[in-house]
Amino acid sequence: MKILFIGSRLYDDVDWYVKEKGIESVLTESNENAINLDLPDQVFIVPRGMDGPKQVALMQNVDAIIPLIGIDPPLIDVAHMKEEVEKEHGIPVIAADVRAVELTSNKIKTKEFYNDIGVVTPNYQILTSPDELTLDFPVVLKQGEGQGGKDIKVAKSIEDVNEYFNDFNQALCEEFIEGSEISIEVLGFNGEYVALPPIYKGETTIEGTHPLNKVKTGPCMVKGLDNNLVQHTAYKVAKNLNSDGIFEMDFMYSPKNDQLYAIEVNTRPNGTRYLTTATCSVNSLCELINMAIGEFSLANISDKLEYYYSTEIPIGNYEGPSPKEPVKSFAYNDFVVHGPEGYQRVTARANSKKELEDLVDKLT
Ligand SMILES: Nc1ncnc2c1ncn2[C@@H]1O[C@H](COP(=O)(O)OP(=O)(O)O)[C@@H](O)[C@H]1O
Ligand SMILES: [Mg+2]
């Protein structure tokens, strides 16, 4: 079995699994100074875009292609490449297709999609000028595209909206939801979908603090919110997207309205994955590989499922005890350190809340 991976930045997360499975690895990367280029069996430096990876896949006669791309902009090119390569060359590409990327890469289209399939999302308006606003303050202003909180502002007054329009001439304006932020990963392949346990990412704040900068925990334990509802809703969204790969979804729960709201979908490897793996032992990136090698199934996922208490803490630079090899695997560790220097995070798990507290004390 020979697999082409596109992009090296996340490759160290799966290298141990590729080796464990005896897979021959080929990797393409556009940046010759990127990390992890020493790990795969073969590396090809190619120009940006999907032509290079496609040529390498054909030349190397690979059995499958797995894009490991953690940012939004290339996803649409990947999706077009997937459709072409699967149709013309019969090589599976484990990624979302064009329709799924078009629906999810733009927050406005995603909201229309939620409405079409009957999934509740915060009320919204598309503003082309501040005086069109009819929602009550506070409101959240966003652009169609962006990740990590980019171009997002919580507006408390019309002055804030005016200020936002100094930089933009249009906005997705959403009612501000006071409550808990929840993320969940859904894995999809060949019409089968499995929603993994939801993760708690903190409370929304009027400053619009992004969950990237908060302490997160798994499994999600939010008073009044049934995790089955989150999993069922996420499953419904994924089934309607009807595509392959990882679907990470953001939700919010308002205790005041006792309502779960769908916020956005990312069809790529995402920041929730370490906590998901810590909590239930299913690793979404490894499952992409299982999809490629014919080992992804609901039964196989069920067999792996475990139940741990877990947490993820932004830590800057990790200075605690060294993890065991392979350092990115919870199979051999009760914690994983990840992220670039200065922005590292540690994700830890234990059998009880008390043991988790003790472990976190030891690590931080
Ligand atoms: N309707 C909302 N109510 C309250 N907070 C929000 C709302 N929408 C977004 N936020 C805050 O902004 C963050 C980023 O918004 P999101 O739509 O998920 O965009 P991104 O793609 O940047 O993650 C959310 O995680 C949340 O903290
Ligand atoms: Mg988000």
Side-chain angles (χ1 to χ4, degrees), residues 18-164:
V18 171
K19 295 196 162 102
E20 201 172 284
K21 286 284 171 187
I23 293 164
E24 192 180 339
S25 52
V26 181
L27 184 142
T28 59
E29 172 55 56
S30 59
N31 173 5
E32 61 183 295
N33 300 314
I35 57 170
N36 300 327
L37 295 181
D38 52 327
L39 299 176
D41 295 322
Q42 286 188 78
V43 170
F44 294 85
I45 300 298
V46 297
R48 271 169 183 270
M50 287 301 128
D51 273 349
K54 189 181 101 188
Q55 296 310 330
V56 171
L58 298 178
M59 181 180 77
Q60 288 287 317
N61 221 345
V62 300
D63 300 295
I65 302 177
I66 303 182
L68 290 179
I69 297 175
I71 54 174
D72 291 336
L75 296 180
I76 191 67
D77 283 351
V78 170
H80 283 289
M81 183 274 287
K82 169 190 169 80
E83 294 191 0
E84 184 197 325
V85 167
E86 289 187 344
K87 186 156 163 260
E88 316 262 310
H89 306 285
I91 304 172
V93 180
I94 315 299
D97 64 15
V98 173
R99 174 179 171 269
V101 173
E102 282 179 347
L103 287 174
T104 56
S105 61
N106 182 302
K107 293 185 167 80
I108 300 166
K109 286 202 182 134
T110 311
K111 303 225 16 138
E112 291 165 356
F113 170 66
Y114 289 144
N115 286 332
D116 287 347
I117 64 171
V119 165
V120 177
T121 185
N123 286 329
Y124 70 105
Q125 292 181 262
I126 311 296
L127 298 184
T128 55
S129 116
D131 54 32
E132 291 164 6
L133 181 80
T134 57
L135 292 170
D136 291 334
F137 290 109
V139 293
V140 184
L141 303 168
K142 309 182 184 185
Q143 295 300 298
E145 285 161 29
Q147 68 182 88
K150 187 170 176 288
D151 302 332
I152 290 183
K153 176 178 176 131
V154 181
K156 283 145 262 179
S157 65
I158 194 69
E159 285 75 36
D160 290 342
V161 183
N162 289 334
E163 202 176 287
Y164 191 81

Side-chain angles (χ1 to χ4, degrees), residues 107 147-149 152 181 183 201 210-211 248 250 263-264 266:
K107 293 185 167 80
Q147 68 182 88
I152 290 183
E181 293 199 60
S183 283
K201 302 207 296 183
H210 198 272
E248 185 237 17
D250 291 348
I263 304 292
E264 64 159 347
N266 296 304

Side-chain angles (χ1 to χ4, degrees), residues 236-250:
K236 178 173 170 178
V237 172
K239 202 172 161 74
N240 279 285
L241 284 170
N242 186 24
S243 194
D244 297 337
I246 302 169
F247 303 88
E248 185 237 17
M249 304 183 196
D250 291 348

Side-chain angles (χ1 to χ4, degrees), residues 2 38 80 88-89 228 273 277 283 309 355:
K2 191 171 181 181
D38 52 327
H80 283 289
E88 316 262 310
H89 306 285
N228 282 315
R273 67 184 189 275
T277 310
N283 179 319
Y309 295 88
E355 283 172 57

